[in-house]
Amino acid sequence: MDDDLVETGLGVHRESVITVEGSVEEESRAPTGVEILPETVDVLAEADPELPLDPSGKVDAELPTRLDNRSLDLRKAEVKAVFEIRAEMLRAVREQFRALGCTEINTPKIVATGTEGGTELFPITYFGREAFMNQSPQLFKQLMVGSGLERVFEIGPIFRAEEHNTPRHLNEATSIDFESAFFDESDAMDACESVVIAAYEGVAEHCQNELETLGLAEEFAVPDEGFPRIPYEEAIEQINATGELDEQLVWGDDLPTEGERALGEEIGEHYFITEWPSEIKPFYIKDLDEDETLSTGFDLMHPRMELVSGGQREHRHSHLIEGFEQQGLEPEAFEYYTKMFKYGMPPHAGWGLGGERLVMTMLGLDNIREAVIFPRDRQRLSP
RNA sequence: GCCCGGGUGGUGUAGUGGCCCAUCAUACGACCCUGUCACGGUCGUGACGCGGGUUCAAAUCCCGCCUCGGGCGCCA
């Protein structure tokens, strides 16, 4: 072999980008059974000898180090596999939405008012006017069911300014939203279940290599149809019965994180919690006709955490206005929304699914930041 | 927002007042060995977040700041 080639080959630092031309020779001692006998070696992009993390995986790096150097991090097969699976999940979900007869829409992310009050919004300046980053496509997708589109979905970013610091929250997340005219909450849950199962099926079908890389090939299972639907009242009774909580829950309490986990452990699969107290669900969720202290709101839970929140919507204009007032919101600020309920808004239902949470629970990731290439959290604004 | 915990070579770590001009692994550099392939060997380079304080003595204790992680509330 040419001395210059040897020189180049020995001088190139790991993770540099090179081109090698030569003949492929069988070689039983090589791990792949073949070796390339080079005729030329060109260094296209030299890498610094000291790397900020080790892509070979011999030495671990902590998550912040990895996120600061994401390109290098993504050279690791296990990290890459997560995002290949995420991409497949999104593809499968889109396909299922189309099978359900949905039209994909995109709604504004810069808005004049919040969606539902409660969660914190990021303020921005919009040509000198106060504006916000949208926390949810909720109101916009509802307006679509009264349009000619009637059944829609959107996959897009949502922004929440909550200063939480947990392994399951992001300040910029991917929301998978669904809304359909002439659906009640039960129809919406059916659709929700089918979309979650489709995501798992897509991954099972197209990502076997990635699952193997992650060491999940054996255990990965598509969830069975017919997720249990547990009324809120039963859910709190079951949680109380586990004895995991220091204080017993009473009707009207939201489920604390610890309670969710205790219940999840008990049930051991995806499940819906239905018939939430009206008072802890937002104004746009419809109450049950037979008992207005209960709402049509539901949550889809994975044993580890909440994945989806949904329900049948309040489509009656006068009830909607009342709801705004009860939550201390000014209906006037939302007139762009409420006025469309005066011109024939069909009964409808829908839900929003946390895309990163779906990936995280599907792959058993410890931290939701592992499911986003460039996550935005309380501390992190770049890269 | 409230409450915990942490910041030591490029990376990941050991080190709870003197044994530390700081351990180990990996990386990096030099040499040697070698049909190696997570090669092996010898030698070398390289670090206590910042500022103040306590003490004869501080990586170690105290205070402030910066920064990161976690728990809860809330949520997807």
Side-chain angles (χ1 to χ4, degrees), chain A residues 168-185:
Chain A
R168 61 186 186 285
H169 286 97
L170 294 164
N171 292 294
E172 177 175 351
T174 307
S175 186
I176 299 172
D177 271 89
F178 168 84
E179 201 71 26
S180 175
F182 309 108
F183 262 35
D184 63 16
E185 74 275 21

Side-chain angles (χ1 to χ4, degrees), chain A residues 71-108:
Chain A
S71 305
L72 281 179
D73 187 45
L74 274 156
R75 292 183 195 175
K76 291 189 272 193
E78 318 85 73
V79 180
K80 197 177 113 176
V82 170
F83 293 100
E84 291 289 353
I85 288 171
R86 177 182 159 124
E88 170 55 26
M89 181 277 284
L90 290 172
R91 189 207 60 76
V93 162
R94 280 199 166 87
E95 184 180 276
Q96 177 60 207
F97 276 128
R98 296 298 277 165
L100 289 169
C102 297
T103 305
E104 180 163 9
I105 59 166
N106 296 282
T107 61

Side-chain angles (χ1 to χ4, degrees), chain A residues 120-270:
Chain A
E120 304 277 329
L121 299 167
F122 287 108
I124 59 168
T125 303
Y126 192 72
F127 301 117
R129 281 193 289 166
E130 182 184 53
F132 302 94
M133 303 300 290
N134 204 189
Q135 60 165 259
S136 161
Q138 180 63 34
L139 271 28
F140 295 108
K141 68 179 179 174
Q142 278 191 262
L143 293 178
M144 288 304 96
V145 304
S147 77
L149 295 178
E150 293 194 359
R151 187 172 300 165
V152 297
F153 76 100
E154 173 166 13
I155 299 176
I158 56 171
F159 304 91
R160 303 199 172 177
E162 295 287 342
E163 296 197 40
H164 36 45
N165 192 4
T166 81
R168 61 186 186 285
H169 286 97
L170 294 164
N171 292 294
E172 177 175 351
T174 307
S175 186
I176 299 172
D177 271 89
F178 168 84
E179 201 71 26
S180 175
F182 309 108
F183 262 35
D184 63 16
E185 74 275 21
S186 180
D187 299 323
M189 282 187 271
D190 289 345
C192 180
E193 183 178 314
S194 82
V195 166
V196 169
I197 288 176
Y200 275 81
E201 280 174 343
V203 171
E205 209 171 308
H206 300 289
C207 299
Q208 275 311 123
N209 290 343
E210 286 78 8
L211 289 172
E212 253 166 59
T213 299
L214 292 169
L216 297 171
E218 295 293 314
E219 63 193 81
F220 190 86
V222 177
D224 292 328
E225 281 176 41
F227 297 169
R229 298 182 183 187
I230 300 166
Y232 165 86
E233 193 168 2
E234 274 179 41
I236 59 170
E237 280 168 13
Q238 264 192 269
I239 291 170
N240 285 337
T242 63
E244 290 287 323
L245 265 49
D246 294 338
E247 276 185 48
Q248 295 277 288
L249 295 174
V250 296
W251 203 89
D253 285 344
D254 215 333
L255 301 190
T257 306
E258 207 182 351
E260 281 182 2
R261 262 196 293 263
L263 185 58
E265 211 155 292
E266 199 100 325
I267 294 174
E269 60 175 322
H270 290 84

